[in-house]
Amino acid sequence: MKKMLEAQFPGIDVILDNYPPSLPKRLLSKVVPVFQFGVIGIMMAGEQIFPMIGITTPPPWYYSLRANRFGSIATAWLLGNVMQ
């Protein structure tokens, strides 16, 4: 591609590099894996992790996630990869 462009347009300088993503996209690519592994970690650790982080009783959303563990982990993994 570089040689073709240089032959087609003499004098052009073709630099092969990825276009840098915008700041929100870079931040999202850093935050999404934390969310992914957080959900997976909570699902794998179970109710014992909440007292370790200072929460005496698990929040209500935990019980809905726990009802379908495989679906919750798979959804976090797949949606996280899509968002990333």
Side-chain angles (χ1 to χ4, degrees), residues 16-67:
L16 301 176
D17 198 10
N18 291 330
Y19 189 77
S22 63
L23 180 64
K25 289 181 181 177
R26 285 193 314 243
L27 291 175
L28 189 63
S29 73
K30 302 294 183 194
V31 171
V32 167
V34 172
F35 173 75
Q36 267 182 312
F37 288 110
V39 169
I40 293 171
I42 287 173
M43 294 309 301
M44 297 301 285
E47 295 179 14
Q48 293 81 16
I49 197 160
F50 290 106
M52 292 180 193
I53 58 175
I55 301 172
T56 56
T57 59
W61 54 263
Y62 171 74
Y63 295 109
S64 62
L65 291 178
R66 189 181 71 177

